[in-house]
Amino acid sequence: RKEVEQDPGPFNVPEGATVAFNCTYSNSASQSFFWYRQDCRKEPKLLMSVYSSGNEDGRFTAQLNRASQYISLLIRDSKLSDSATYLCVVRGYGGSQGNLIFGKGTKLSVKP
Amino acid sequence: EAQVTQNPRYLITVTGKKLTVTCSQNMNHEYMSWYRQDPGLGLRQIYYSMNVEVTDKGDVPEGYKVSRKEKRNFPLILESPSPNQTSLYFCASSSAGGRAGELFFGEGSRLTVL
C-alpha cells in the first residue's frame, strides 16, 4: 500500500458544484495532515491544515478520520479559479519536517 | 518580500556536464528541502536539511549532492547529470518552530538533460 494515496482525477465539474476529494494514508502514527494546491507548472502552496475536529476556511472544509486513515477536502460553490491540482500531505511520526509525504495529487477542472 | 529563490529556472544541458541549482531563502528558516516532480510520480524528496551543516537523504538521493554551509542557501548539485534527471525541481523551506507542514516553495527549476 502506498503511503499517501489520492484519486488522480481529473474531476471535471461545472461552476457552483460541490466537489470532494479523499486521501488515504498508510502510517497510523502519522501526526499532521495538510492540503496543498498546485497550479499548472507552478509551485505548491499550502491551502489548509487538517485538524482532528475538522476545519473550515470559507468554501473549503477539511476532515480527518484517524480510525479509517483518510483525509477529505470539500469545496463548495466551485469557482473557475479553483481549477488546480490538490495535494494531500502527511507528516510522519517523529515530528520532523523531513517526514512530509506528498500524495500525487488530484486534478480539478472547473468549467463554466 | 519573503521568498524562496531558485536559479536557473530553466536549463538544458548534456549528459555528464556538472551543474548546480541554487536555492536561497530570506525567511531565516532552519529547514530546507529539494524535491523533484515527474508526471505520474508526484513530488519526491531528494535531500533535506534541518539546519546548517545538517543534511539527510530523502527518497531519491542517487545522483545528487547538497550542502548547507549557510542558513539561507541550499544548493543542489548534479555531478554527472543523466537523462533520467530531466525533471521539474522545487526547493522549499520551513521554520522549524513555525506552523508545522507549511513549506514555502521556490518557483521551480525545469531541467532537461540531453
Side-chain angles (χ1 to χ4, degrees):
Chain A
R1 183 180 175 184
K2 295 175 186 172
E3 292 196 71
V4 178
E5 283 199 75
Q6 299 181 245
D7 182 340
F11 283 61
N12 297 309
V13 303
E15 268 187 293
T18 295
V19 61
F21 308 136
N22 285 333
C23 165
T24 58
Y25 60 96
S26 59
N27 187 345
S28 60
S30 298
Q31 296 187 343
S32 307
F33 311 90
F34 313 90
W35 285 102
Y36 275 69
R37 171 194 167 127
Q38 185 175 22
D39 293 297
C40 187
R41 299 181 184 275
K42 297 265 182 116
E43 72 273 25
K45 292 182 180 177
L46 180 67
L47 177 67
M48 58 197 304
S49 303
V50 186
Y51 303 121
S52 297
S53 55
N55 48 301
E56 191 173 306
D57 183 1
R59 297 181 293 108
F60 299 84
T61 301
Q63 298 272 352
L64 167 63
N65 185 320
R66 284 192 184 271
S68 301
Q69 293 179 217
Y70 80 80
I71 310 144
S72 65
L73 177 67
L74 182 77
I75 306 175
R76 290 180 298 279
D77 188 23
S78 300
K79 311 290 184 193
L80 295 177
S81 57
D82 293 334
S83 296
T85 296
Y86 292 83
L87 305 172
C88 174
V89 184
V90 174
R91 192 175 74 182
Y93 65 91
S96 166
Q97 294 282 43
N99 287 329
L100 283 172
I101 303 165
F102 283 78
K104 293 180 183 178
T106 298
K107 186 172 182 180
L108 171 66
S109 183
V110 182
K111 308 290 188 185
Chain B
E1 181 190 353
Q3 59 187 7
V4 178
T5 304
Q6 297 178 225
N7 277 297
R9 295 285 316 283
Y10 303 91
L11 179 64
I12 299 174
T13 190
V14 295
T15 299
K17 187 176 181 181
K18 180 180 178 180
L19 69 93
T20 299
V21 186
T22 64
C23 175
S24 180
Q25 50 92 5
N26 62 2
M27 295 170 278
N28 201 35
H29 284 166
E30 293 83 7
Y31 176 85
M32 297 185 75
S33 181
W34 276 103
Y35 296 87
R36 60 177 289 174
Q37 188 171 38
D38 303 288
L41 296 176
L43 274 165
R44 293 181 293 167
Q45 191 178 51
I46 303 170
Y47 269 95
Y48 65 96
S49 169
M50 300 298 291
N51 215 322
V52 175
E53 301 292 1
V54 181
T55 63
D56 212 342
K57 295 177 180 179
D59 298 317
V60 288
E62 295 78 20
Y64 304 94
K65 284 173 58 177
V66 293
S67 68
R68 188 89 183 274
K69 293 186 172 65
E70 304 165 285
K71 198 172 188 179
R72 63 183 293 127
N73 295 323
F74 191 44
L76 179 70
I77 303 154
L78 286 73
E79 293 272 4
S80 183
S82 61
N84 65 12
Q85 292 178 298
T86 292
S87 188
L88 176 59
Y89 291 86
F90 287 104
C91 179
S93 74
S94 175
S95 169
R99 184 164 56 164
E102 184 164 15
L103 281 174
F104 294 84
F105 285 84
E107 292 183 298
S109 297
R110 187 167 291 279
L111 171 65
T112 301
V113 184
L114 302 175

